[in-house]
Amino acid sequence: MFRRKAYDQLVEWKRSSGGRTAMLIEGARRVGKSTIAEEFARNEYNSYALVDFTKVGDEFRRTLLDTRGDLDSFFLYLSATLGVTLTERKSLVIFDEVQLFPPAREFIKHLVADGRYDFIETGSLISINENVKDILIPSEEESMKMGPLDFEEFLWAMGEEALAQMITNSFASGSPLPDSLHRKASRLWREYVLVGGMPQSVAAYAPNRDMAAADRAKRMVLKIYREDIEKYGGMAAKRIRAVFNAIPGQLSKHEKRLVYTQVENGSRSRDFMTAFSWMREAATVNLCALAEDPSIGLALSADDATVKCYMADTGLLSTMAFSASGSALPEVYRQVLLGADGVNEGMLAENAVAQQLTASGHDLYFYSKSSSIREERMEIDFLIIRPYPDAAMKPRVSPVEVKSGKRYSTVSLDKFHAKFTQRAGEEYVLHPRQMSQDGIRRFLPLYMSFCL
């Protein structure tokens, strides 16, 4: 069991809710939702009952429906069936993969009101309309999203807790890491963009740094995701599959926004709205929308038809882009691990930063300005909202540029600052070099992106 930030969120939920709400853990398949729910139950309660809806039979489902008006009988049946002793206010009940039996989610309202035990639900594709259209969503349900490991969690998994803390301290203080630790952190970041944050991939890699084993684990996850598209995608499955398979090619271009006609001849943005909605809810991608008029309300000027589509996990992207089905380690993997100058890592670096920003709670937006006048053209990779020290820590729009190489320009940042001086705050350039600062522009190592 890897140390996960979601665990701390569950601890805080237990402390603050006092049994007055249930917690729904949402996320993509295979990100560790069930594992963390059971680990939390094992450590924080005297006993727990795990109801896995991928395994329970029709009899259990009928009994749940039949005993909704008699909770004493339901809890007695639950204890007898699972062989557990439930203690009032000291036991937890987990409804695992609850989307497979939506009435159980609706039942949460009555279970929470009863007050005897705490309740956690886990679910994949849980928010898609087909899973909830016939039930009343309980107001007593809180929710939290769980994704792949971010880079800080990856460092924890690799036994580098002290390095992770030093990176956090370095970001807060503005003092660069010692050169030896900077090189070490940079090497681990390169490993991360290839391995990614899917728990089974990290588990395969961590003991012996076996990249081939990690790749096999990632291919299994990708197989599951593609099967889910066919099984649950419905009428939109063809376009969902087309977008999913087109992601590496779209991100490898200089302008990484999705070009619909390259995905499907003659198509328009509105043809893909259902596919995007499905993929967003399935949490297999991170969509980054154009903010046409950047302000602290980025969503107010969002153009949801103009998007960049990132994989939710960069390790999965690396396998889609570079790995064949065989056991041989792709040569590009070796070049990335060595930090070879000839490798174009822009696709992986930008996707990995998108993954860190999402894990930190940011919605993803970018800014782009097309013009026949060269001086007006610009593109900013990401826009985030952060407190600005020069404005009494009031929130401002912070532009973020991702640079995978050591030689680059910051022309777009210069233009953005000139155009949006009154709205903009600190600027961030994420690059392979050491930390430095030039006025309001902070140059941060790529491995520090999880701190934003």
Side-chain angles (χ1 to χ4, degrees):
M1 167 67 190
F2 297 126
R3 178 185 171 191
R4 300 298 304 269
K5 296 175 182 179
Y7 191 99
D8 295 334
Q9 292 179 255
L10 290 175
V11 170
E12 175 57 24
W13 161 75
K14 180 186 178 186
R15 184 198 66 78
S16 61
S17 75
R20 293 184 296 275
T21 62
M23 175 58 78
L24 170 65
I25 308 174
E26 296 182 276
R29 295 276 299 275
R30 309 308 295 270
V31 295
K33 303 181 300 295
S34 303
T35 300
I36 200 159
E38 192 166 5
E39 183 74 8
F40 176 71
R42 190 179 296 115
N43 294 341
E44 307 296 335
Y45 292 86
N46 288 2
S47 63
Y48 68 96
L50 174 62
V51 180
D52 184 347
F53 284 104
T54 66
K55 297 178 180 178
V56 298
D58 292 339
E59 178 185 296
F60 185 96
R61 296 170 189 240
R62 284 196 302 270
T63 302
L64 185 150
L65 293 173
D66 292 343
T67 57
R68 282 184 292 184
D70 182 2
L71 294 185
D72 289 339
S73 295
F74 172 72
F75 289 131
L76 186 62
Y77 174 78
L78 190 65
S79 297
T81 302
L82 299 178
V84 298
T85 300
L86 297 175
T87 305
E88 189 167 334
R89 299 307 317 139
K90 294 183 179 179
S91 294
L92 175 71
V93 178
I94 302 171
F95 285 169
D96 195 23
E97 300 292 355
V98 71
Q99 82 279 358
L100 298 177
F101 191 54
R105 187 178 178 192
E106 190 173 39
F107 193 23
I108 285 292
K109 180 179 183 67
H110 307 289
L111 296 173
V112 170
D114 176 73
R116 272 178 265 188
Y117 313 113
D118 287 352
F119 296 88
I120 285 179
E121 310 154 87
T122 75
S124 305
L125 304 172
I126 194 74
S127 299
I128 294 179
N129 291 334
E130 285 76 5
N131 292 324
V132 298
K133 62 183 179 181
D134 297 323
I135 70 170
L136 178 67
I137 304 299
S139 59
E140 297 79 6
E141 178 186 271
E142 297 184 45
S143 65
M144 58 178 278
K145 294 188 182 298
M146 186 173 177
L149 280 72
D150 69 8
F151 182 57
E152 184 175 25
E153 291 172 318
F154 178 79
L155 290 176
W156 297 341
M158 297 298 291
E160 298 289 351
E161 292 89 348
L163 178 60
Q165 187 60 56
M166 287 198 69
I167 292 172
T168 301
N169 293 348
S170 174
F171 174 82
S173 67
S175 301
L177 288 178
D179 287 343
S180 60
L181 291 181
H182 167 72
R183 290 191 294 271
K184 181 178 183 179
S186 298
R187 185 189 73 243
L188 285 160
W189 170 262
R190 292 194 295 271
E191 294 177 30
Y192 174 74
V193 299
L194 296 176
V195 175
M198 300 304 290
Q200 51 271 58
S201 174
V202 178
Y205 179 73
N208 301 302
R209 280 182 155 77
D210 188 340
M211 191 65 71
D215 224 38
R216 288 192 293 272
K218 289 184 290 177
R219 285 198 294 270
M220 290 179 64
V221 175
L222 288 169
K223 180 175 182 289
I224 291 171
Y225 284 2
R226 290 190 170 105
E227 289 172 349
D228 280 349
I229 292 172
E230 301 304 324
K231 185 175 182 179
Y232 300 112
M235 297 294 290
K238 180 180 178 181
R239 284 200 170 107
I240 296 168
R241 182 173 61 251
V243 173
F244 190 80
N245 291 334
I247 290 173
Q250 295 292 322
L251 292 182
S252 66
K253 301 178 186 302
H254 176 69
E255 289 193 359
K256 296 177 172 57
R257 71 184 69 185
L258 196 67
V259 180
Y260 300 100
T261 54
Q262 293 177 359
V263 177
E264 181 182 293
N265 287 335
S267 62
R268 295 166 294 180
S269 61
R270 66 184 184 186
D271 297 329
F272 288 87
M273 290 302 103
T274 300
F276 286 155
S277 177
W278 193 95
M279 297 175 79
R280 182 185 288 111
E281 297 294 350
T284 54
V285 301
N286 292 322
L287 294 177
C288 182
L290 171 68
E292 295 182 304
D293 186 24
S295 68
I296 59 172
L298 290 169
L300 297 177
S301 68
D303 176 3
D304 291 328
T306 305
V307 298
K308 295 188 288 186
C309 189
Y310 299 103
M311 284 294 294
D313 180 69
T314 307
L316 297 182
L317 174 64
S318 70
T319 295
M320 290 175 70
F322 305 124
S323 178
S325 58
S327 59
L329 187 67
E331 178 59 28
V332 68
Y333 279 21
R334 295 188 178 89
Q335 294 180 27
V336 170
L337 290 171
L338 293 171
D341 290 337
V343 178
N344 180 7
E345 297 180 47
M347 172 179 64
L348 297 179
E350 194 169 319
N351 198 97
V353 170
Q355 185 173 342
Q356 308 315 297
L357 295 178
T358 300
S360 297
H362 295 288
D363 294 324
L364 298 183
Y365 296 95
F366 73 102
Y367 179 74
S368 180
K369 175 68 173 177
S370 299
S371 175
S372 58
I373 303 173
R374 181 180 179 183
E375 288 71 21
E376 295 181 358
R377 292 197 299 266
M378 70 182 101
E379 178 133 0
I380 303 296
D381 295 328
F382 300 105
L383 301 174
I384 59 176
I385 305 301
R386 284 186 56 83
Y388 185 30
D390 288 356
M393 299 308 289
K394 292 180 180 178
R396 291 288 188 270
V397 179
S398 285
V400 179
E401 283 276 75
V402 180
K403 307 295 184 182
S404 59
K406 294 181 178 180
R407 293 185 295 274
Y408 55 81
S409 73
T410 57
V411 174
S412 285
L413 275 180
D414 297 337
K415 294 176 183 178
F416 186 89
H417 178 76
K419 185 176 180 65
F420 298 107
T421 302
Q422 299 304 314
R423 308 179 195 179
E426 276 194 309
E427 303 169 358
Y428 298 99
V429 178
L430 297 166
H431 65 172
R433 296 177 180 273
Q434 269 280 24
M435 173 194 289
S436 63
Q437 183 138 2
D438 181 9
I440 64 169
R441 186 171 297 171
R442 294 187 69 180
F443 296 82
L444 303 176
L446 285 160
Y447 58 72
M448 212 168 274
S449 52
F450 74 84
C451 298
L452 291 176

